[in-house]
């Protein structure tokens, strides 16, 4: 077993949808994933990998997470999931899925924060989390888009012990807060305004790296998805929000350098 992620790191991402087969077909074609089925109680969990490294999961909303299609969930590493789940609720969140042991993985739980964003808690055992970062088809960033940025930041700081740093000084830019563990940024918080009505209420956005943003957007359309906001030129590369055929929002980025630092327990990601 590799060394666990530090508590507070975004450790795993999972799409919770009512049509997992359609999602599998879409993401396998778009991001080059290989998908294998794993039994999880009475349902099937789709484990997604790139070059043999696990990068995400797809779950069936009819059997998990309160029966609702939660979209892309970001899971955060915790040292004691029972304690963290109680604290998440005490701070104003709602426990959707109580801590549940996942064979050959660890223990997971899902929560909805006070502003409507669903996220997960994960105490890893045999599976620490994602096995690749920043490479094509893999996770590279996690971002909370919220109309209540100050209160949202306060919630996650209390839950995970983050420090914060403001990012960007342009008076025309939307306020952006980096959530930090020591000197390492682990996630971002974007203040929503009326230009982004499709992202209200709050939600966690998963960023995946692509080799060519223009090619990826053409694929999104051909596969039944919808580009929504973008393209946006960022310091880390051009990005675009899209919706998959199930209406779940994610962000594609033609990455220039890494957004998330590589985790010391994993070998370096292989860029294709």
């Amino acid at each position: 077993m590799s060394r666990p992620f530090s508590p507070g790191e975004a450790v795993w991402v999972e799409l919770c949808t009512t049509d997992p087969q359609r999602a599998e077909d879409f993401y396998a074609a778009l991001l080059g994933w290989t998908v294998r089925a794993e039994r999880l109680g009475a349902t099937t969990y789709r484990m997604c990998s790139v070059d043999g490294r696990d990068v995400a999961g797809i779950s069936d909303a009819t059997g998990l997470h309160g029966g609702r299609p939660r979209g892309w969930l970001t899971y955060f590493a915790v040292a004691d999931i029972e304690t963290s789940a109680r604290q998440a609720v005490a701070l104003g969140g709602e426990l959707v899925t109580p801590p549940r042991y996942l064979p050959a993985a660890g223990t997971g739980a899902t929560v909805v924060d006070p502003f409507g964003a669903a996220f997960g808690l994960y105490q890893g055992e045999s599976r620490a989390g994602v096995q690749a970062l920043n490479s094509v088809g893999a996770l590279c960033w996690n971002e909370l888009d919220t109309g209540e940025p100050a209160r949202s930041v306060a919630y996650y700081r209390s839950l995970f012990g983050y420090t914060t740093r403001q990012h960007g000084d342009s008076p025309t830019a939307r306020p952006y807060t980096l959530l930090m563990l020591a000197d390492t940024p682990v996630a971002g918080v974007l203040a929503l305004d009326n230009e982004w009505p499709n992202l209200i209420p709050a939600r966690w956005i998963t960023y995946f790296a692509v080799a060519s943003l223009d090619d990826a957007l053409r694929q999104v359309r051909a596969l039944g998805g919808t580009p929504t906001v973008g393209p946006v030129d960022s310091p880390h590369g051009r990005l675009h929000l899209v919706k998959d055929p199930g209406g779940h929002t994610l962000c594609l980025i033609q990455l220039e350098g890494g957004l998330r630092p590589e985790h010391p327990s994993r070998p370096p990601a292989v860029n294709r």
Side-chain angles (χ1 to χ4, degrees):
M1 184 183 75
S2 57
R3 183 176 68 79
F5 286 73
S6 299
E9 282 190 85
V11 67
W12 187 248
V13 288
E14 172 192 318
L15 177 65
C16 175
T17 175
T18 55
D19 195 343
Q21 184 59 57
R22 188 181 187 191
E24 174 183 334
D25 295 342
F26 175 82
Y27 287 100
L30 178 64
L31 298 176
W33 289 351
T34 299
V35 182
R36 67 184 188 273
E38 297 185 355
R39 294 303 300 174
L40 182 57
T43 188
T44 298
Y45 193 88
R46 288 164 163 82
M47 188 64 65
C48 309
S49 63
V50 174
D51 296 332
R53 298 180 180 183
D54 294 341
V55 295
I58 300 173
S59 65
D60 189 342
T62 60
L64 291 173
H65 309 313
R68 292 182 57 187
R70 303 284 177 179
W72 278 103
L73 296 168
T74 296
Y75 283 77
F76 295 91
V78 295
D80 183 332
I81 196 166
E82 297 286 351
T83 298
S84 294
R86 287 193 296 269
Q87 187 178 14
V89 172
L91 291 167
E94 176 190 354
L95 187 63
V96 175
T97 308
R100 175 178 182 176
Y101 178 71
L102 311 171
T107 304
T110 52
V111 177
V112 174
D113 77 15
F115 313 103
F119 67 99
L121 306 172
Y122 182 67
Q123 184 177 340
E125 293 183 9
S126 55
R127 180 179 289 142
V130 295
Q131 296 174 333
L133 286 169
N134 301 321
S135 55
V136 171
L139 172 69
C140 56
W141 190 240
N142 303 85
E143 176 185 282
L144 177 65
D145 292 354
T146 174
E148 295 282 355
R151 295 167 66 193
S152 293
V153 167
Y155 177 84
Y156 289 96
R157 287 190 65 172
S158 297
L159 184 57
F160 296 121
Y162 296 135
T163 58
T164 59
R165 189 172 76 201
Q166 296 303 119
H167 183 70
D169 298 321
S170 170
T172 61
R174 298 183 184 90
Y176 200 92
T177 302
L178 293 174
L179 303 178
M180 314 281 293
L181 290 174
D183 294 327
T184 303
V186 296
V189 178
L190 176 67
L192 295 182
D193 61 25
N194 290 332
E195 295 178 23
W196 294 52
N198 59 310
L199 296 183
I200 297 171
R203 70 178 64 184
W204 280 95
I205 302 295
T206 300
Y207 282 55
F208 290 107
V210 295
S212 165
L213 183 64
D214 291 335
D215 289 347
L217 293 175
R218 282 192 287 269
Q219 277 193 297
V220 166
R221 294 185 183 95
L223 294 166
T226 307
T228 55
V229 179
V232 175
D233 292 321
S234 81
H236 300 284
R238 291 174 66 236
L239 61 88
H240 207 300
L241 288 173
V242 304
K243 288 188 176 183
D244 69 17
H248 308 303
T249 297
L250 64 147
C251 188
L252 303 176
I253 181 169
Q254 185 175 324
L255 197 60
E256 298 174 3
L259 269 168
R260 286 277 305 276
E262 289 297 326
H263 194 265
S265 68
R266 294 189 301 276
V270 177
N271 289 298
R272 299 190 296 167

PDB file of all heavy atoms in Angstrom, residues 155-188:
ATOM      1  N   TYR A 155     -16.204  27.219   6.024  1.00  0.00           N
ATOM      2  CA  TYR A 155     -16.644  25.842   6.279  1.00  0.00           C
ATOM      3  C   TYR A 155     -15.506  24.860   6.042  1.00  0.00           C
ATOM      4  O   TYR A 155     -15.205  24.014   6.902  1.00  0.00           O
ATOM      5  CB  TYR A 155     -17.827  25.513   5.375  1.00  0.00           C
ATOM      6  CG  TYR A 155     -18.330  24.086   5.504  1.00  0.00           C
ATOM      7  CD1 TYR A 155     -19.219  23.728   6.504  1.00  0.00           C
ATOM      8  CD2 TYR A 155     -17.909  23.095   4.619  1.00  0.00           C
ATOM      9  CE1 TYR A 155     -19.682  22.419   6.627  1.00  0.00           C
ATOM     10  CE2 TYR A 155     -18.363  21.790   4.732  1.00  0.00           C
ATOM     11  CZ  TYR A 155     -19.250  21.462   5.745  1.00  0.00           C
ATOM     12  OH  TYR A 155     -19.690  20.164   5.868  1.00  0.00           O
ATOM     13  N   TYR A 156     -14.857  24.946   4.903  1.00  0.00           N
ATOM     14  CA  TYR A 156     -13.812  23.973   4.578  1.00  0.00           C
ATOM     15  C   TYR A 156     -12.539  24.200   5.387  1.00  0.00           C
ATOM     16  O   TYR A 156     -11.821  23.243   5.691  1.00  0.00           O
ATOM     17  CB  TYR A 156     -13.540  23.995   3.072  1.00  0.00           C
ATOM     18  CG  TYR A 156     -14.685  23.386   2.287  1.00  0.00           C
ATOM     19  CD1 TYR A 156     -15.687  24.186   1.720  1.00  0.00           C
ATOM     20  CD2 TYR A 156     -14.808  22.009   2.151  1.00  0.00           C
ATOM     21  CE1 TYR A 156     -16.748  23.634   1.023  1.00  0.00           C
ATOM     22  CE2 TYR A 156     -15.866  21.445   1.456  1.00  0.00           C
ATOM     23  CZ  TYR A 156     -16.839  22.259   0.906  1.00  0.00           C
ATOM     24  OH  TYR A 156     -17.904  21.695   0.217  1.00  0.00           O
ATOM     25  N   ARG A 157     -12.273  25.444   5.753  1.00  0.00           N
ATOM     26  CA  ARG A 157     -11.134  25.691   6.653  1.00  0.00           C
ATOM     27  C   ARG A 157     -11.376  25.020   8.001  1.00  0.00           C
ATOM     28  O   ARG A 157     -10.464  24.393   8.557  1.00  0.00           O
ATOM     29  CB  ARG A 157     -10.927  27.199   6.859  1.00  0.00           C
ATOM     30  CG  ARG A 157     -10.336  27.917   5.675  1.00  0.00           C
ATOM     31  CD  ARG A 157      -9.942  29.343   6.022  1.00  0.00           C
ATOM     32  NE  ARG A 157      -8.858  29.373   7.015  1.00  0.00           N
ATOM     33  CZ  ARG A 157      -8.220  30.470   7.379  1.00  0.00           C
ATOM     34  NH1 ARG A 157      -8.558  31.636   6.846  1.00  0.00           N
ATOM     35  NH2 ARG A 157      -7.257  30.420   8.260  1.00  0.00           N
ATOM     36  N   SER A 158     -12.583  25.128   8.514  1.00  0.00           N
ATOM     37  CA  SER A 158     -12.885  24.508   9.809  1.00  0.00           C
ATOM     38  C   SER A 158     -12.834  22.991   9.716  1.00  0.00           C
ATOM     39  O   SER A 158     -12.408  22.317  10.652  1.00  0.00           O
ATOM     40  CB  SER A 158     -14.268  24.959  10.297  1.00  0.00           C
ATOM     41  OG  SER A 158     -14.311  26.349  10.521  1.00  0.00           O
ATOM     42  N   LEU A 159     -13.260  22.444   8.578  1.00  0.00           N
ATOM     43  CA  LEU A 159     -13.315  20.994   8.432  1.00  0.00           C
ATOM     44  C   LEU A 159     -11.950  20.375   8.175  1.00  0.00           C
ATOM     45  O   LEU A 159     -11.615  19.328   8.752  1.00  0.00           O
ATOM     46  CB  LEU A 159     -14.265  20.635   7.283  1.00  0.00           C
ATOM     47  CG  LEU A 159     -14.531  19.151   7.025  1.00  0.00           C
ATOM     48  CD1 LEU A 159     -15.078  18.466   8.285  1.00  0.00           C
ATOM     49  CD2 LEU A 159     -15.501  18.980   5.851  1.00  0.00           C
ATOM     50  N   PHE A 160     -11.135  21.024   7.338  1.00  0.00           N
ATOM     51  CA  PHE A 160      -9.876  20.406   6.910  1.00  0.00           C
ATOM     52  C   PHE A 160      -8.619  21.139   7.377  1.00  0.00           C
ATOM     53  O   PHE A 160      -7.513  20.677   7.098  1.00  0.00           O
ATOM     54  CB  PHE A 160      -9.845  20.292   5.391  1.00  0.00           C
ATOM     55  CG  PHE A 160     -10.908  19.373   4.827  1.00  0.00           C
ATOM     56  CD1 PHE A 160     -11.845  19.849   3.921  1.00  0.00           C
ATOM     57  CD2 PHE A 160     -10.959  18.039   5.201  1.00  0.00           C
ATOM     58  CE1 PHE A 160     -12.818  19.000   3.392  1.00  0.00           C
ATOM     59  CE2 PHE A 160     -11.926  17.190   4.686  1.00  0.00           C
ATOM     60  CZ  PHE A 160     -12.857  17.673   3.783  1.00  0.00           C
ATOM     61  N   GLY A 161      -8.777  22.276   8.052  1.00  0.00           N
ATOM     62  CA  GLY A 161      -7.605  22.975   8.574  1.00  0.00           C
ATOM     63  C   GLY A 161      -6.800  23.723   7.528  1.00  0.00           C
ATOM     64  O   GLY A 161      -5.591  23.924   7.693  1.00  0.00           O
ATOM     65  N   TYR A 162      -7.442  24.166   6.445  1.00  0.00           N
ATOM     66  CA  TYR A 162      -6.727  24.882   5.400  1.00  0.00           C
ATOM     67  C   TYR A 162      -6.287  26.272   5.863  1.00  0.00           C
ATOM     68  O   TYR A 162      -6.942  26.908   6.689  1.00  0.00           O
ATOM     69  CB  TYR A 162      -7.629  25.083   4.178  1.00  0.00           C
ATOM     70  CG  TYR A 162      -8.072  23.839   3.470  1.00  0.00           C
ATOM     71  CD1 TYR A 162      -9.416  23.695   3.089  1.00  0.00           C
ATOM     72  CD2 TYR A 162      -7.184  22.825   3.143  1.00  0.00           C
ATOM     73  CE1 TYR A 162      -9.846  22.569   2.406  1.00  0.00           C
ATOM     74  CE2 TYR A 162      -7.612  21.700   2.469  1.00  0.00           C
ATOM     75  CZ  TYR A 162      -8.940  21.568   2.105  1.00  0.00           C
ATOM     76  OH  TYR A 162      -9.371  20.460   1.431  1.00  0.00           O
ATOM     77  N   THR A 163      -5.222  26.750   5.262  1.00  0.00           N
ATOM     78  CA  THR A 163      -4.966  28.177   5.202  1.00  0.00           C
ATOM     79  C   THR A 163      -5.411  28.634   3.811  1.00  0.00           C
ATOM     80  O   THR A 163      -5.765  27.814   2.958  1.00  0.00           O
ATOM     81  CB  THR A 163      -3.485  28.502   5.428  1.00  0.00           C
ATOM     82  OG1 THR A 163      -2.692  27.811   4.450  1.00  0.00           O
ATOM     83  CG2 THR A 163      -3.052  28.064   6.831  1.00  0.00           C
ATOM     84  N   THR A 164      -5.395  29.943   3.566  1.00  0.00           N
ATOM     85  CA  THR A 164      -5.880  30.439   2.278  1.00  0.00           C
ATOM     86  C   THR A 164      -4.930  31.473   1.701  1.00  0.00           C
ATOM     87  O   THR A 164      -4.128  32.089   2.418  1.00  0.00           O
ATOM     88  CB  THR A 164      -7.276  31.075   2.409  1.00  0.00           C
ATOM     89  OG1 THR A 164      -7.209  32.163   3.342  1.00  0.00           O
ATOM     90  CG2 THR A 164      -8.295  30.056   2.881  1.00  0.00           C
ATOM     91  N   ARG A 165      -5.043  31.648   0.396  1.00  0.00           N
ATOM     92  CA  ARG A 165      -4.286  32.679  -0.300  1.00  0.00           C
ATOM     93  C   ARG A 165      -5.144  33.201  -1.435  1.00  0.00           C
ATOM     94  O   ARG A 165      -5.757  32.414  -2.166  1.00  0.00           O
ATOM     95  CB  ARG A 165      -2.977  32.110  -0.844  1.00  0.00           C
ATOM     96  CG  ARG A 165      -2.029  33.178  -1.407  1.00  0.00           C
ATOM     97  CD  ARG A 165      -0.685  32.570  -1.757  1.00  0.00           C
ATOM     98  NE  ARG A 165      -0.768  31.809  -3.006  1.00  0.00           N
ATOM     99  CZ  ARG A 165       0.092  30.857  -3.351  1.00  0.00           C
ATOM    100  NH1 ARG A 165       1.056  30.504  -2.523  1.00  0.00           N
ATOM    101  NH2 ARG A 165      -0.034  30.234  -4.522  1.00  0.00           N
ATOM    102  N   GLN A 166      -5.221  34.501  -1.580  1.00  0.00           N
ATOM    103  CA  GLN A 166      -5.974  35.085  -2.687  1.00  0.00           C
ATOM    104  C   GLN A 166      -5.143  34.998  -3.957  1.00  0.00           C
ATOM    105  O   GLN A 166      -3.924  35.167  -3.933  1.00  0.00           O
ATOM    106  CB  GLN A 166      -6.342  36.535  -2.402  1.00  0.00           C
ATOM    107  CG  GLN A 166      -7.278  36.701  -1.216  1.00  0.00           C
ATOM    108  CD  GLN A 166      -8.560  35.906  -1.377  1.00  0.00           C
ATOM    109  OE1 GLN A 166      -8.864  35.035  -0.581  1.00  0.00           O
ATOM    110  NE2 GLN A 166      -9.313  36.199  -2.437  1.00  0.00           N
ATOM    111  N   HIS A 167      -5.826  34.718  -5.060  1.00  0.00           N
ATOM    112  CA  HIS A 167      -5.137  34.504  -6.330  1.00  0.00           C
ATOM    113  C   HIS A 167      -5.643  35.511  -7.340  1.00  0.00           C
ATOM    114  O   HIS A 167      -6.847  35.615  -7.585  1.00  0.00           O
ATOM    115  CB  HIS A 167      -5.403  33.085  -6.830  1.00  0.00           C
ATOM    116  CG  HIS A 167      -4.673  32.757  -8.099  1.00  0.00           C
ATOM    117  ND1 HIS A 167      -3.311  32.603  -8.151  1.00  0.00           N
ATOM    118  CD2 HIS A 167      -5.132  32.565  -9.367  1.00  0.00           C
ATOM    119  CE1 HIS A 167      -2.957  32.313  -9.387  1.00  0.00           C
ATOM    120  NE2 HIS A 167      -4.038  32.292 -10.147  1.00  0.00           N
ATOM    121  N   GLY A 168      -4.719  36.262  -7.926  1.00  0.00           N
ATOM    122  CA  GLY A 168      -5.095  37.215  -8.970  1.00  0.00           C
ATOM    123  C   GLY A 168      -5.422  38.576  -8.397  1.00  0.00           C
ATOM    124  O   GLY A 168      -6.177  38.690  -7.442  1.00  0.00           O
ATOM    125  N   ASP A 169      -4.851  39.613  -8.982  1.00  0.00           N
ATOM    126  CA  ASP A 169      -5.056  40.974  -8.482  1.00  0.00           C
ATOM    127  C   ASP A 169      -5.847  41.858  -9.440  1.00  0.00           C
ATOM    128  O   ASP A 169      -6.041  43.034  -9.179  1.00  0.00           O
ATOM    129  CB  ASP A 169      -3.694  41.632  -8.217  1.00  0.00           C
ATOM    130  CG  ASP A 169      -2.894  40.893  -7.158  1.00  0.00           C
ATOM    131  OD1 ASP A 169      -3.512  40.449  -6.176  1.00  0.00           O
ATOM    132  OD2 ASP A 169      -1.669  40.765  -7.319  1.00  0.00           O
ATOM    133  N   SER A 170      -6.311  41.304 -10.550  1.00  0.00           N
ATOM    134  CA  SER A 170      -7.020  42.124 -11.521  1.00  0.00           C
ATOM    135  C   SER A 170      -8.368  42.573 -10.963  1.00  0.00           C
ATOM    136  O   SER A 170      -9.130  41.769 -10.454  1.00  0.00           O
ATOM    137  CB  SER A 170      -7.248  41.331 -12.812  1.00  0.00           C
ATOM    138  OG  SER A 170      -8.131  42.031 -13.651  1.00  0.00           O
ATOM    139  N   PRO A 171      -8.690  43.867 -11.047  1.00  0.00           N
ATOM    140  CA  PRO A 171      -9.978  44.335 -10.521  1.00  0.00           C
ATOM    141  C   PRO A 171     -11.166  43.794 -11.299  1.00  0.00           C
ATOM    142  O   PRO A 171     -12.298  43.813 -10.820  1.00  0.00           O
ATOM    143  CB  PRO A 171      -9.885  45.864 -10.642  1.00  0.00           C
ATOM    144  CG  PRO A 171      -8.867  46.092 -11.707  1.00  0.00           C
ATOM    145  CD  PRO A 171      -7.885  44.964 -11.588  1.00  0.00           C
ATOM    146  N   THR A 172     -10.920  43.295 -12.547  1.00  0.00           N
ATOM    147  CA  THR A 172     -12.023  42.757 -13.337  1.00  0.00           C
ATOM    148  C   THR A 172     -12.174  41.250 -13.171  1.00  0.00           C
ATOM    149  O   THR A 172     -13.141  40.671 -13.667  1.00  0.00           O
ATOM    150  CB  THR A 172     -11.797  43.064 -14.828  1.00  0.00           C
ATOM    151  OG1 THR A 172     -10.570  42.445 -15.255  1.00  0.00           O
ATOM    152  CG2 THR A 172     -11.714  44.568 -15.066  1.00  0.00           C
ATOM    153  N   ALA A 173     -11.239  40.606 -12.500  1.00  0.00           N
ATOM    154  CA  ALA A 173     -11.301  39.152 -12.346  1.00  0.00           C
ATOM    155  C   ALA A 173     -12.235  38.774 -11.202  1.00  0.00           C
ATOM    156  O   ALA A 173     -12.383  39.514 -10.231  1.00  0.00           O
ATOM    157  CB  ALA A 173      -9.908  38.590 -12.089  1.00  0.00           C
ATOM    158  N   ARG A 174     -12.868  37.601 -11.308  1.00  0.00           N
ATOM    159  CA  ARG A 174     -13.677  37.103 -10.202  1.00  0.00           C
ATOM    160  C   ARG A 174     -12.758  36.752  -9.038  1.00  0.00           C
ATOM    161  O   ARG A 174     -11.672  36.213  -9.229  1.00  0.00           O
ATOM    162  CB  ARG A 174     -14.464  35.869 -10.629  1.00  0.00           C
ATOM    163  CG  ARG A 174     -15.464  36.111 -11.746  1.00  0.00           C
ATOM    164  CD  ARG A 174     -16.239  34.840 -12.036  1.00  0.00           C
ATOM    165  NE  ARG A 174     -17.136  35.001 -13.168  1.00  0.00           N
ATOM    166  CZ  ARG A 174     -16.799  34.757 -14.422  1.00  0.00           C
ATOM    167  NH1 ARG A 174     -15.587  34.335 -14.698  1.00  0.00           N
ATOM    168  NH2 ARG A 174     -17.674  34.928 -15.391  1.00  0.00           N
ATOM    169  N   PRO A 175     -13.180  37.034  -7.805  1.00  0.00           N
ATOM    170  CA  PRO A 175     -12.366  36.656  -6.649  1.00  0.00           C
ATOM    171  C   PRO A 175     -12.101  35.148  -6.639  1.00  0.00           C
ATOM    172  O   PRO A 175     -13.008  34.353  -6.892  1.00  0.00           O
ATOM    173  CB  PRO A 175     -13.227  37.078  -5.463  1.00  0.00           C
ATOM    174  CG  PRO A 175     -14.115  38.156  -6.003  1.00  0.00           C
ATOM    175  CD  PRO A 175     -14.393  37.771  -7.420  1.00  0.00           C
ATOM    176  N   TYR A 176     -10.854  34.787  -6.382  1.00  0.00           N
ATOM    177  CA  TYR A 176     -10.448  33.380  -6.381  1.00  0.00           C
ATOM    178  C   TYR A 176      -9.568  33.136  -5.174  1.00  0.00           C
ATOM    179  O   TYR A 176      -8.586  33.839  -4.953  1.00  0.00           O
ATOM    180  CB  TYR A 176      -9.690  33.048  -7.667  1.00  0.00           C
ATOM    181  CG  TYR A 176      -9.652  31.574  -7.994  1.00  0.00           C
ATOM    182  CD1 TYR A 176     -10.624  31.001  -8.797  1.00  0.00           C
ATOM    183  CD2 TYR A 176      -8.643  30.753  -7.502  1.00  0.00           C
ATOM    184  CE1 TYR A 176     -10.605  29.651  -9.115  1.00  0.00           C
ATOM    185  CE2 TYR A 176      -8.607  29.406  -7.805  1.00  0.00           C
ATOM    186  CZ  TYR A 176      -9.589  28.858  -8.612  1.00  0.00           C
ATOM    187  OH  TYR A 176      -9.577  27.519  -8.918  1.00  0.00           O
ATOM    188  N   THR A 177      -9.932  32.119  -4.396  1.00  0.00           N
ATOM    189  CA  THR A 177      -9.200  31.786  -3.186  1.00  0.00           C
ATOM    190  C   THR A 177      -8.572  30.414  -3.327  1.00  0.00           C
ATOM    191  O   THR A 177      -9.249  29.457  -3.730  1.00  0.00           O
ATOM    192  CB  THR A 177     -10.134  31.787  -1.959  1.00  0.00           C
ATOM    193  OG1 THR A 177     -10.744  33.072  -1.839  1.00  0.00           O
ATOM    194  CG2 THR A 177      -9.365  31.476  -0.678  1.00  0.00           C
ATOM    195  N   LEU A 178      -7.294  30.301  -3.014  1.00  0.00           N
ATOM    196  CA  LEU A 178      -6.621  29.011  -2.989  1.00  0.00           C
ATOM    197  C   LEU A 178      -6.712  28.433  -1.584  1.00  0.00           C
ATOM    198  O   LEU A 178      -6.435  29.121  -0.597  1.00  0.00           O
ATOM    199  CB  LEU A 178      -5.156  29.155  -3.390  1.00  0.00           C
ATOM    200  CG  LEU A 178      -4.890  29.571  -4.846  1.00  0.00           C
ATOM    201  CD1 LEU A 178      -3.401  29.806  -5.052  1.00  0.00           C
ATOM    202  CD2 LEU A 178      -5.406  28.526  -5.814  1.00  0.00           C
ATOM    203  N   LEU A 179      -7.115  27.171  -1.494  1.00  0.00           N
ATOM    204  CA  LEU A 179      -7.097  26.440  -0.229  1.00  0.00           C
ATOM    205  C   LEU A 179      -5.756  25.745  -0.124  1.00  0.00           C
ATOM    206  O   LEU A 179      -5.360  25.007  -1.036  1.00  0.00           O
ATOM    207  CB  LEU A 179      -8.247  25.429  -0.183  1.00  0.00           C
ATOM    208  CG  LEU A 179      -9.650  26.013  -0.365  1.00  0.00           C
ATOM    209  CD1 LEU A 179     -10.701  24.901  -0.350  1.00  0.00           C
ATOM    210  CD2 LEU A 179      -9.964  27.049   0.712  1.00  0.00           C
ATOM    211  N   MET A 180      -5.063  25.959   0.983  1.00  0.00           N
ATOM    212  CA  MET A 180      -3.663  25.544   1.116  1.00  0.00           C
ATOM    213  C   MET A 180      -3.480  24.574   2.270  1.00  0.00           C
ATOM    214  O   MET A 180      -4.102  24.705   3.333  1.00  0.00           O
ATOM    215  CB  MET A 180      -2.779  26.769   1.374  1.00  0.00           C
ATOM    216  CG  MET A 180      -3.029  27.975   0.484  1.00  0.00           C
ATOM    217  SD  MET A 180      -2.290  27.823  -1.147  1.00  0.00           S
ATOM    218  CE  MET A 180      -0.547  27.853  -0.719  1.00  0.00           C
ATOM    219  N   LEU A 181      -2.590  23.607   2.074  1.00  0.00           N
ATOM    220  CA  LEU A 181      -2.040  22.794   3.154  1.00  0.00           C
ATOM    221  C   LEU A 181      -0.563  23.137   3.231  1.00  0.00           C
ATOM    222  O   LEU A 181       0.189  22.849   2.294  1.00  0.00           O
ATOM    223  CB  LEU A 181      -2.235  21.301   2.883  1.00  0.00           C
ATOM    224  CG  LEU A 181      -3.665  20.772   2.971  1.00  0.00           C
ATOM    225  CD1 LEU A 181      -3.721  19.312   2.528  1.00  0.00           C
ATOM    226  CD2 LEU A 181      -4.214  20.914   4.391  1.00  0.00           C
ATOM    227  N   ALA A 182      -0.169  23.797   4.313  1.00  0.00           N
ATOM    228  CA  ALA A 182       1.170  24.380   4.420  1.00  0.00           C
ATOM    229  C   ALA A 182       1.348  25.342   3.234  1.00  0.00           C
ATOM    230  O   ALA A 182       0.546  26.238   3.056  1.00  0.00           O
ATOM    231  CB  ALA A 182       2.241  23.295   4.464  1.00  0.00           C
ATOM    232  N   ASP A 183       2.368  25.126   2.390  1.00  0.00           N
ATOM    233  CA  ASP A 183       2.599  26.030   1.261  1.00  0.00           C
ATOM    234  C   ASP A 183       2.069  25.462  -0.049  1.00  0.00           C
ATOM    235  O   ASP A 183       2.359  25.997  -1.115  1.00  0.00           O
ATOM    236  CB  ASP A 183       4.102  26.294   1.111  1.00  0.00           C
ATOM    237  CG  ASP A 183       4.669  27.060   2.302  1.00  0.00           C
ATOM    238  OD1 ASP A 183       3.929  27.883   2.866  1.00  0.00           O
ATOM    239  OD2 ASP A 183       5.830  26.807   2.656  1.00  0.00           O
ATOM    240  N   THR A 184       1.277  24.401   0.027  1.00  0.00           N
ATOM    241  CA  THR A 184       0.824  23.712  -1.182  1.00  0.00           C
ATOM    242  C   THR A 184      -0.647  23.996  -1.459  1.00  0.00           C
ATOM    243  O   THR A 184      -1.500  23.695  -0.619  1.00  0.00           O
ATOM    244  CB  THR A 184       1.026  22.190  -1.043  1.00  0.00           C
ATOM    245  OG1 THR A 184       2.405  21.915  -0.781  1.00  0.00           O
ATOM    246  CG2 THR A 184       0.581  21.473  -2.310  1.00  0.00           C
ATOM    247  N   PRO A 185      -0.979  24.558  -2.625  1.00  0.00           N
ATOM    248  CA  PRO A 185      -2.392  24.733  -2.975  1.00  0.00           C
ATOM    249  C   PRO A 185      -3.016  23.387  -3.340  1.00  0.00           C
ATOM    250  O   PRO A 185      -2.429  22.608  -4.099  1.00  0.00           O
ATOM    251  CB  PRO A 185      -2.349  25.671  -4.177  1.00  0.00           C
ATOM    252  CG  PRO A 185      -0.990  25.499  -4.768  1.00  0.00           C
ATOM    253  CD  PRO A 185      -0.079  25.116  -3.648  1.00  0.00           C
ATOM    254  N   VAL A 186      -4.200  23.104  -2.777  1.00  0.00           N
ATOM    255  CA  VAL A 186      -4.841  21.814  -3.018  1.00  0.00           C
ATOM    256  C   VAL A 186      -6.185  21.949  -3.725  1.00  0.00           C
ATOM    257  O   VAL A 186      -6.688  20.973  -4.289  1.00  0.00           O
ATOM    258  CB  VAL A 186      -5.017  21.013  -1.715  1.00  0.00           C
ATOM    259  CG1 VAL A 186      -3.662  20.660  -1.122  1.00  0.00           C
ATOM    260  CG2 VAL A 186      -5.864  21.773  -0.700  1.00  0.00           C
ATOM    261  N   ALA A 187      -6.782  23.134  -3.725  1.00  0.00           N
ATOM    262  CA  ALA A 187      -8.064  23.351  -4.395  1.00  0.00           C
ATOM    263  C   ALA A 187      -8.309  24.848  -4.481  1.00  0.00           C
ATOM    264  O   ALA A 187      -7.630  25.647  -3.833  1.00  0.00           O
ATOM    265  CB  ALA A 187      -9.207  22.665  -3.647  1.00  0.00           C
ATOM    266  N   GLY A 188      -9.291  25.237  -5.301  1.00  0.00           N
ATOM    267  CA  GLY A 188      -9.636  26.638  -5.444  1.00  0.00           C
ATOM    268  C   GLY A 188     -11.088  26.888  -5.135  1.00  0.00           C
ATOM    269  O   GLY A 188     -11.929  25.973  -5.203  1.00  0.00           O
TER     270      GLY A 188
END
